[in-house]
Amino acid sequence: MEGPRPVVLSGPSGAGKSTLMKMLLRDYDGVFGFSVSLAQTHDEEAMQEDIDDGKYIENAEFSGNLYGTSKSSVDDVRAKGLICILDVEIQGVRNIKETDLDPIYVSIQPPSIEILEKRLRDRNTETEESLQKRLEAARVDMELSNEPGVFDVLIVNDDLEEAYDKLQSVLIEVSLKRMVVCM
Ligand SMILES: Nc1ncnc2c1ncn2[C@@H]1O[C@H](COP(=O)(O)OP(=O)(O)OP(=O)(O)O)[C@@H](O)[C@H]1O
């Protein structure tokens, strides 16, 4: 597949992925395309068939719903010459490693579980139950993400501007490598 190398952005819920992606969209026009891992609750049977046929680069079940990123959604972004950013769960990261997508793997991590909890509470989007589920998933994510070889880059989102600077540096490096290959 021609086009820029995709970027996988992962990390626990509340680590700051959406915030950082919004900053990228604000500052870079026509550089990035986003491929989100979608829940297909309306037609799970059809989705499962497509997964079995290998039409998804990653899929996962979370809270009883099937989530997945189709190959075609990434190819569409790539064909436009955009760097495709995939926002996926840690399980999805493992699935992508089994494919030939060859993205750069970036993990966004909170400074600590306590700070993550505070951010999720302040965000006001969770019930106590969903908050506890997210914190439990975050503990697993934080442990797995620190294993060697899982991610190319791990960014601790303590100070937002500093985390954003690091993310930009990584993405610029990816784009520059692409330019060298093109020359
Ligand atoms: N560095 C930071 N310092 C303080 N607050 C932050 C920082 N980064 C993000 N936040 C806040 O933390 C909350 C969670 O961030 P965000 O929604 O971007 O996380 P997320 O990883 O996209 O979560 P989800 O996977 O659930 O969508 C938001 O309210 C955001 O404003």
Side-chain angles (χ1 to χ4, degrees), residues 38-75:
L38 286 178
Q40 304 276 316
T41 41
H42 55 283
D43 197 352
E44 285 212 351
E45 213 170 294
M47 184 171 167
Q48 189 59 55
E49 252 173 50
D50 285 346
I51 290 169
D52 296 343
D53 289 348
K55 291 182 186 164
Y56 278 75
I57 46 174
E58 61 86 22
N59 67 275
E61 205 181 314
F62 187 68
S63 296
N65 291 328
L66 264 182
Y67 290 78
T69 306
S70 68
K71 273 185 182 167
S72 60
S73 71
V74 178
D75 288 347

Side-chain angles (χ1 to χ4, degrees), residues 7-44:
V7 175
V8 163
L9 209 56
S10 192
S13 169
K17 302 174 300 290
S18 320
T19 307
L20 289 163
M21 287 196 283
K22 270 186 213 142
M23 292 165 90
L24 287 174
L25 271 184
R26 177 196 68 192
D27 297 341
Y28 299 90
D29 195 23
V31 175
F32 298 106
F34 294 93
S35 159
V36 280
S37 189
L38 286 178
Q40 304 276 316
T41 41
H42 55 283
D43 197 352
E44 285 212 351

Side-chain angles (χ1 to χ4, degrees), residues 10-23 87 89 108 111 115-116 118-126 134 156-163:
S10 192
S13 169
K17 302 174 300 290
S18 320
T19 307
L20 289 163
M21 287 196 283
K22 270 186 213 142
M23 292 165 90
D87 176 355
E89 302 272 337
I108 308 296
I115 292 176
L116 182 75
K118 182 175 181 331
R119 286 183 188 167
L120 280 172
R121 286 194 187 280
D122 289 349
R123 192 171 72 175
N124 261 325
T125 51
E126 309 306 318
R134 275 162 208 260
V156 177
N157 178 17
D158 188 354
D159 178 85
L160 183 60
E161 290 303 327
E162 274 177 30

